[in-house]
Amino acid sequence: MQRKETLYLKIAKIIEEQIQNETLLLGDKLPSIRSVQKLHNVSINTAKQAYLELESRSLIESRPKTGYYVSKTSQRKLALPSVTAIADAGKGKTPEDLISKVYDTIAKPDVTQFALGLPGRNFLPLAKLNKGVIKAIRSRSDSGTDLEPVQGSEHLRREIAKWSLVLEGKVTEDDLVITSGAMNAIYHALMAVTKPGDSVAIESPAYFGILQAIKLLGLKAVELPTHPVYGIDLDALKKVLPAISACCFVTNFNNPMGFQMPDENKKELVRLITAYNVPLIEDDIYGNLYFGAERPKPCKFYDEAGLVLWAGSVSKTLAPGYRVGWIAPGQFKDKIIRQKLVQTVCNPSLYSDVIADFLEHGRYDHHLRMFRNKLYANYLQFQRAVETYFPDNTKISQPKGGFMLWLELDKRICTEDLYDAAGAMNINFAPGRMFSQHDQYNNCMRLNYAMEWNDRAEEGLQKLGKLVKNSI
Amino acid sequence: MQRKETLYLKIAKIIEEQIQNETLLLGDKLPSIRSVQKLHNVSINTAKQAYLELESRSLIESRPKTGYYVSKTSQRKLALPSVTAIADAGKGKTPEDLISKVYDTIAKPDVTQFALGLPGRNFLPLAKLNKGVIKAIRSRSDSGTDLEPVQGSEHLRREIAKWSLVLEGKVTEDDLVITSGAMNAIYHALMAVTKPGDSVAIESPAYFGILQAIKLLGLKAVELPTHPVYGIDLDALKKVLPAISACCFVTNFNNPMGFQMPDENKKELVRLITAYNVPLIEDDIYGNLYFGAERPKPCKFYDEAGLVLWAGSVSKTLAPGYRVGWIAPGQFKDKIIRQKLVQTVCNPSLYSDVIADFLEHGRYDHHLRMFRNKLYANYLQFQRAVETYFPDNTKISQPKGGFMLWLELDKRICTEDLYDAAGAMNINFAPGRMFSQHDQYNNCMRLNYAMEWNDRAEEGLQKLGKLVKNSI
């Protein structure tokens, strides 16, 4: 592994120099991956890794179906966040209060909401959803009062299976269980594959919901070093695999880092967990919000042993308040259905109808196309605004999709303190401390850019940047 | 306590003899409780207990605001179920498969459904609910896509608090948390007040959902002897109180036994749990389905220490498929809100609006009046049918409300075997084995009488009775 790593970095360095000495100019097309392979006499994977590395540093960019180009953002001003060495289990105060504080702002319309992982209303097809609800209620004879099957509406499960083209038919309606959003899916999955006291490997920084679920179930979180472009360090994972009971990762457009784990890494990840017989809970709620040419594969695609529990929802893309999510739990399906029977019996049936209908008639895919375009435009606006208003030593993630931006600020800054100061100006963000069980990421923050881009948003970022500058 | 018990039984015996030797005739009014008190020189509670005892044996009945009368059902043919001595923890097979089997019949319209705790469609105001959904969707600007506050819709909480007149203002909107049905409330409550390995006192027979939740959370169930008319044996509870972490009881119109715990017992129960600082989870979902003059008080009414977690829902009375429930968790509110954030984030908002509106405009109370009348008529039909078609040694519970009938059959009968035979005839009931962790109640069954009373129902009971007769 070490040799391979050196090789791809060497190739990347050569191309980087060509860009810097302007042998390759902005907008120039790069040689194909096959050419690189032949030129340097390396494997196709090494050639790909070299390009991924350059892409991760914003020096080059891939364009759908045509190839790689010297990036327009190769003049990107700000660096990527660092890979954080995981702190020792500290005794610092827990982030629960911070999380409650952030969630308490849900219903406050006067707050410029950069904190929560929710799409703004301008992203959502409200009129079509209204129609869908009225259609659903009128086409039912029970007004939604009947209980659904515990596993979930058959119609909805069938439509999700059909719509999940990325899995190429590997998941059928029978493999799916409907849940109250993806967080509920993850909770069920963790419960099904562990017992209290067990350890679960997670990314770091990690989505705080996962951290909280692990804690609530009496489990231990093992935070792994996580690269801002490739995701978890597979070598580090390999070391802990014999001692853990499950992995729980956000593999596509990670929350909070925005990375898309490369296919090679996903394959290797599935190979590893299969070898060690450790279930992988894959939170893939952002997978359809890609900026690139196509929907990235989830690890579930490579899973032959039924060890990957693949979770999704419409909460990030269509209707957060409907609480409709799902999971394809592989081997653990029966266990999860039983848990669901005890915990909630079943889901409200009306929303199942609405979402199934949306999927069936292509309205969801149509909506997602619009959503992705808006989202990418917003990302560029946010990136520009942060470059403009924040200090030059700000490090910024480079999401490949999704709607989270991760900022690493000057070491002297404590974003938890900043949170209150920003709150006084009715501006909200997620302080970095929420994303670890350890006392770290205190100088980081997560911003949600799936909101209406307007003067208010621009001003919000401007004020936030000023606040950061004044805090040093 | 022993002396008091003897006294009330002595008084009851005197009156029973008067009825049997026809000193008191069918329909005669009995002396008031105060007269009994003076006549026998006993406390008011002892006099009440005596009447309760007679009522429990169907010898007398209370009529709203006028007093007690010699009962029309004093000619009741069948005896009450026995108080069961709790079996030792056996190694018999667990009832999970049985429960799954029963739930698998949810969506089968050709099955005559005596098994599940669900009201039939003819009991539900479907047209009004349809209107409610359309009104709610039209009056929202977000199509229900916004997330509700984690604690639950303020509007819904306010309306539940206002509607809960029985609590005389002791529960406010701020005390309530909205849940995905009452089962979800109980799951949250158990999780909030225990840790894995703890013991929880329950009734026996117990609602199987409670048994399953206890098991899922790694807790131990302590089944207490339960009287078919008074509920749990408080002396037995007292003995286990020092060793348990919580109680979980269905105090009003118990599932499966149908009893209403007398007020005196509720007061004493709250006194006991307060003395031992043991939380009581009170499942009060049937409380509004009373056959008597008024809605019985829940234990929550007597709770000063915030130790009673009072759970309710509309699933038994209005809309099972909406999954709208609530809990007033006393001291444990913040803990439950945090659990909810992790497990489901929040509830779907549309249904909160529909139910809040139903409560606000008196439609729920109006509906409940109709529901209770139908239910009582059905109960009488079921009682008659069981008396007619089942063997004479069948014992039958005497519900004071709710919609569950508990039958104790000849010892030689195994209702789990009967279940398959009945299933072959498309008739469904809940076998007694589901209601205990121990290998008992094998000769019992629970019937749901909240269904449309028609020839199909009558025939179903006739066939079931025949099956029982042929099994001996």
Side-chain angles (χ1 to χ4, degrees):
Chain A
M1 195 110 185
Q2 195 51 44
R3 212 184 94 75
K4 199 175 149 200
E5 230 172 79
T6 322
L7 255 180
Y8 85 79
L9 285 175
K10 215 178 270 175
I11 298 164
K13 196 153 179 51
I14 293 167
I15 300 169
E16 187 184 353
E17 276 166 14
Q18 291 175 321
I19 295 172
Q20 269 160 7
N21 64 28
E22 301 195 338
T23 308
L24 284 165
L25 288 172
L26 193 155
D28 274 3
K29 188 174 178 180
L30 284 121
S32 74
I33 289 191
R34 287 215 172 273
S35 316
V36 175
Q37 182 203 359
K38 282 174 195 158
L39 188 67
H40 297 277
N41 192 24
V42 293
S43 75
I44 197 100
N45 285 342
T46 304
K48 272 190 195 161
Q49 287 279 89
Y51 273 22
L52 277 170
E53 176 68 23
L54 290 164
E55 208 183 354
S56 81
R57 288 192 255 144
S58 303
L59 291 168
I60 68 171
E61 59 185 27
S62 74
R63 288 192 204 150
K65 286 168 196 168
T66 63
Y68 287 87
Y69 294 80
V70 176
S71 172
K72 287 189 200 129
T73 55
S74 61
Q75 285 84 2
R76 185 182 144 100
K77 280 168 54 185
L78 306 177
L80 279 168
S82 22
V83 178
T84 301
I86 307 305
D88 284 339
K91 283 189 291 277
K93 60 176 172 156
T94 58
E96 275 81 1
D97 291 326
L98 201 51
I99 293 170
S100 297
K101 214 155 81 172
V102 172
Y103 268 89
D104 283 347
T105 65
I106 285 184
K108 294 188 178 156
D110 49 340
V111 173
T112 303
Q113 188 60 267
F114 297 124
L116 294 171
L118 294 173
R121 275 196 201 176
N122 66 314
F123 279 80
L124 306 177
L126 299 181
K128 282 184 187 165
L129 287 171
N130 267 5
K131 270 191 198 165
V133 170
I134 289 170
K135 181 182 168 190
I137 195 82
R138 290 205 169 127
S139 61
R140 292 189 74 102
S141 59
D142 71 333
S143 191
T145 59
D146 281 2
L147 289 190
E148 277 195 355
V150 183
Q151 188 173 351
S153 147
E154 270 181 55
H155 184 197
L156 178 56
R157 285 187 283 121
R158 192 165 56 244
E159 294 307 326
I160 292 168
K162 274 163 59 185
W163 166 83
S164 303
L165 295 172
V166 68
L167 288 167
E168 300 181 11
K170 292 194 176 182
V171 162
T172 69
E173 63 192 84
D174 194 48
D175 300 321
L176 289 160
V177 181
I178 305 302
T179 60
S180 306
M183 197 55 234
N184 187 238
I186 289 165
Y187 178 81
H188 273 304
L190 283 168
M191 190 176 219
V193 304
T194 64
K195 51 181 197 313
D198 283 358
S199 294
V200 179
I202 57 170
E203 291 136 345
S204 186
Y207 167 49
F208 50 84
I210 294 174
L211 275 166
Q212 294 297 298
I214 286 172
K215 195 169 172 181
L216 183 59
L217 289 165
L219 306 168
K220 292 182 200 114
V222 177
E223 297 183 28
L224 297 176
T226 304
H227 190 275
V229 174
Y230 308 125
I232 56 136
D233 180 332
L234 290 172
D235 287 335
L237 174 67
K238 208 168 165 180
K239 278 178 205 144
V240 302
L241 266 176
I244 60 169
S245 300
C247 301
C248 187
F249 301 141
V250 187
T251 53
N252 291 320
F253 320 130
N254 173 269
N255 177 2
M257 292 269 250
F259 61 77
Q260 171 188 338
M261 212 179 178
D263 282 354
E264 295 311 307
N265 291 29
K266 283 176 184 155
K267 273 184 215 167
E268 177 63 10
L269 171 57
V270 173
R271 199 191 62 74
L272 282 171
I273 60 134
T274 307
Y276 286 89
N277 196 31
V278 172
L280 163 64
I281 300 162
E282 184 176 32
D283 182 359
D284 195 18
I285 44 175
Y286 300 100
N288 285 82
L289 300 177
Y290 50 91
F291 297 158
E294 58 184 8
R295 207 276 192 212
K297 290 264 180 287
C299 291
K300 181 72 182 173
F301 180 76
Y302 305 106
D303 174 38
E304 302 292 337
L307 278 170
V308 178
L309 300 93
W310 177 69
S313 84
V314 298
S315 303
K316 300 301 175 185
T317 47
L318 185 64
Y322 286 18
R323 311 311 302 138
V324 174
W326 54 84
I327 189 160
Q331 298 177 6
F332 309 96
K333 189 183 80 171
D334 291 342
K335 213 166 166 191
I336 284 182
I337 292 174
R338 283 186 180 179
Q339 287 172 194
K340 186 180 166 188
L341 173 59
V342 173
Q343 289 176 36
T344 50
V345 185
C346 63
N347 293 94
S349 48
L350 190 63
Y351 285 128
S352 296
D353 291 358
V354 177
I355 300 300
D357 193 65
F358 230 77
L359 288 166
E360 188 175 5
H361 296 100
R363 284 196 284 278
Y364 191 41
D365 280 324
H366 176 84
H367 162 68
L368 284 170
R369 279 193 290 278
M370 174 287 292
F371 198 109
R372 284 191 293 265
N373 288 338
K374 275 198 193 172
L375 212 49
Y376 186 61
N378 268 26
Y379 160 53
L380 295 179
Q381 293 285 13
F382 267 66
Q383 194 190 36
R384 179 196 51 74
V386 170
E387 283 177 0
T388 310
Y389 303 124
F390 279 61
D392 287 344
N393 67 345
T394 303
K395 294 177 178 178
I396 181 171
S397 64
Q398 187 175 30
K400 299 289 162 78
F403 46 72
M404 301 303 189
L405 211 53
W406 180 254
L407 305 188
E408 188 181 319
L409 307 174
D410 190 284
K411 285 263 175 249
R412 289 165 292 178
I413 287 177
C414 172
T415 50
E416 194 172 342
D417 296 341
L418 222 59
Y419 182 83
D420 293 324
M425 300 189 294
N426 275 332
I427 298 170
N428 209 7
F429 63 85
R433 181 64 186 85
M434 287 164 73
F435 298 86
S436 176
Q437 66 190 322
H438 306 301
D439 190 22
Q440 54 191 9
Y441 305 120
N442 289 305
N443 61 326
C444 298
M445 64 167 69
R446 189 193 70 178
L447 300 177
N448 163 17
Y449 54 82
M451 59 191 302
E452 190 161 12
W453 180 257
N454 53 22
D455 289 350
R456 181 174 163 182
E458 174 109 27
E459 276 162 29
L461 291 173
Q462 189 172 8
K463 283 182 191 163
L464 209 50
K466 205 168 177 182
L467 202 61
V468 172
K469 281 182 177 165
N470 293 340
S471 307
I472 305 175
Chain B
M1 194 111 186
Q2 194 52 43
R3 213 186 94 76
K4 199 174 150 202
E5 231 172 80
T6 320
L7 253 180
Y8 85 79
L9 285 177
K10 215 177 269 177
I11 298 164
K13 199 156 174 51
I14 294 168
I15 300 170
E16 189 184 351
E17 277 166 12
Q18 291 176 322
I19 294 172
Q20 271 160 4
N21 63 29
E22 301 195 338
T23 308
L24 285 167
L25 289 171
L26 194 154
D28 274 3
K29 188 171 176 181
L30 284 120
S32 74
I33 289 192
R34 287 217 171 271
S35 316
V36 174
Q37 181 201 1
K38 281 176 194 156
L39 188 66
H40 297 277
N41 192 25
V42 294
S43 76
I44 197 105
N45 284 343
T46 304
K48 272 189 195 164
Q49 287 279 89
Y51 274 20
L52 278 170
E53 175 68 23
L54 290 165
E55 208 183 354
S56 81
R57 288 192 256 147
S58 301
L59 292 168
I60 67 170
E61 60 186 26
S62 73
R63 288 193 204 150
K65 285 168 197 169
T66 62
Y68 287 87
Y69 293 81
V70 177
S71 171
K72 287 186 201 134
T73 55
S74 61
Q75 284 84 2
R76 185 183 145 100
K77 277 169 56 184
L78 305 178
L80 278 169
S82 25
V83 178
T84 301
I86 307 305
D88 283 339
K91 281 188 293 277
K93 60 176 172 156
T94 57
E96 275 81 1
D97 291 325
L98 200 52
I99 293 170
S100 297
K101 215 155 81 174
V102 172
Y103 268 89
D104 282 348
T105 65
I106 286 183
K108 294 187 179 158
D110 49 340
V111 172
T112 303
Q113 188 60 267
F114 297 125
L116 294 172
L118 294 173
R121 277 198 200 174
N122 67 312
F123 279 80
L124 306 178
L126 299 180
K128 281 186 188 165
L129 288 171
N130 267 6
K131 270 192 199 165
V133 170
I134 289 171
K135 179 180 170 191
I137 195 81
R138 290 209 168 123
S139 62
R140 292 188 74 101
S141 59
D142 72 333
S143 190
T145 60
D146 281 2
L147 290 189
E148 277 195 356
V150 182
Q151 188 173 351
S153 147
E154 268 181 55
H155 183 198
L156 178 57
R157 286 187 282 120
R158 193 165 53 244
E159 294 306 326
I160 292 168
K162 272 163 58 185
W163 166 81
S164 302
L165 295 172
V166 67
L167 288 167
E168 300 180 11
K170 291 194 177 183
V171 163
T172 70
E173 63 192 85
D174 195 47
D175 300 321
L176 289 160
V177 181
I178 305 300
T179 59
S180 305
M183 196 55 235
N184 187 238
I186 289 165
Y187 179 80
H188 274 303
L190 282 168
M191 189 175 219
V193 303
T194 64
K195 52 180 195 313
D198 283 358
S199 294
V200 179
I202 57 170
E203 290 136 344
S204 186
Y207 168 48
F208 50 84
I210 293 174
L211 275 166
Q212 293 297 297
I214 286 173
K215 195 169 172 180
L216 184 59
L217 288 165
L219 306 169
K220 292 182 202 115
V222 177
E223 298 183 27
L224 295 176
T226 303
H227 190 276
V229 174
Y230 307 125
I232 56 138
D233 180 330
L234 290 172
D235 286 334
L237 174 67
K238 208 167 165 180
K239 277 178 205 145
V240 301
L241 266 176
I244 60 169
S245 300
C247 301
C248 187
F249 301 142
V250 188
T251 52
N252 291 320
F253 319 130
N254 174 268
N255 177 2
M257 291 269 250
F259 61 77
Q260 170 187 335
M261 210 177 178
D263 282 353
E264 293 312 307
N265 291 29
K266 283 176 183 155
K267 270 185 217 167
E268 176 64 9
L269 171 57
V270 173
R271 198 191 64 74
L272 283 172
I273 61 136
T274 307
Y276 285 89
N277 196 31
V278 171
L280 163 64
I281 301 162
E282 184 176 34
D283 181 359
D284 195 18
I285 44 175
Y286 300 100
N288 286 82
L289 299 178
Y290 49 91
F291 297 159
E294 59 183 8
R295 207 278 191 210
K297 290 264 179 284
C299 290
K300 182 72 183 173
F301 179 76
Y302 304 106
D303 174 38
E304 301 292 337
L307 278 171
V308 178
L309 300 93
W310 178 69
S313 84
V314 297
S315 302
K316 300 300 174 186
T317 48
L318 184 64
Y322 286 17
R323 313 309 302 138
V324 174
W326 55 84
I327 188 160
Q331 296 178 6
F332 308 95
K333 188 183 80 170
D334 291 342
K335 214 167 168 192
I336 284 183
I337 292 173
R338 282 186 180 179
Q339 287 173 193
K340 185 180 167 188
L341 174 59
V342 173
Q343 290 176 36
T344 50
V345 185
C346 64
N347 293 94
S349 47
L350 191 62
Y351 284 129
S352 297
D353 291 358
V354 177
I355 300 299
D357 193 64
F358 230 78
L359 288 166
E360 188 175 4
H361 297 100
R363 283 196 286 276
Y364 191 42
D365 280 325
H366 176 84
H367 162 68
L368 283 170
R369 277 192 291 277
M370 175 285 293
F371 198 110
R372 283 191 294 264
N373 287 339
K374 276 198 193 173
L375 212 49
Y376 186 62
N378 269 25
Y379 161 52
L380 295 179
Q381 293 285 13
F382 267 64
Q383 195 191 35
R384 179 195 52 73
V386 170
E387 284 176 359
T388 310
Y389 303 123
F390 279 60
D392 287 345
N393 67 346
T394 302
K395 295 177 177 178
I396 181 170
S397 64
Q398 187 174 29
K400 299 288 161 80
F403 48 72
M404 300 304 187
L405 211 52
W406 180 253
L407 305 188
E408 189 180 320
L409 307 172
D410 189 284
K411 284 264 173 249
R412 289 164 293 177
I413 287 178
C414 172
T415 51
E416 194 172 342
D417 296 342
L418 222 60
Y419 182 82
D420 293 323
M425 301 189 292
N426 275 330
I427 297 170
N428 209 7
F429 63 84
R433 181 65 185 83
M434 289 164 72
F435 298 84
S436 176
Q437 66 190 322
H438 306 302
D439 190 21
Q440 55 191 8
Y441 306 119
N442 288 304
N443 61 325
C444 298
M445 64 165 69
R446 188 193 71 180
L447 300 177
N448 163 15
Y449 53 83
M451 58 190 304
E452 190 161 10
W453 181 256
N454 53 23
D455 290 349
R456 183 175 162 182
E458 173 108 28
E459 276 161 30
L461 291 173
Q462 190 171 9
K463 283 181 192 165
L464 209 50
K466 206 168 178 183
L467 203 62
V468 172
K469 281 181 177 165
N470 294 340
S471 306
I472 303 176

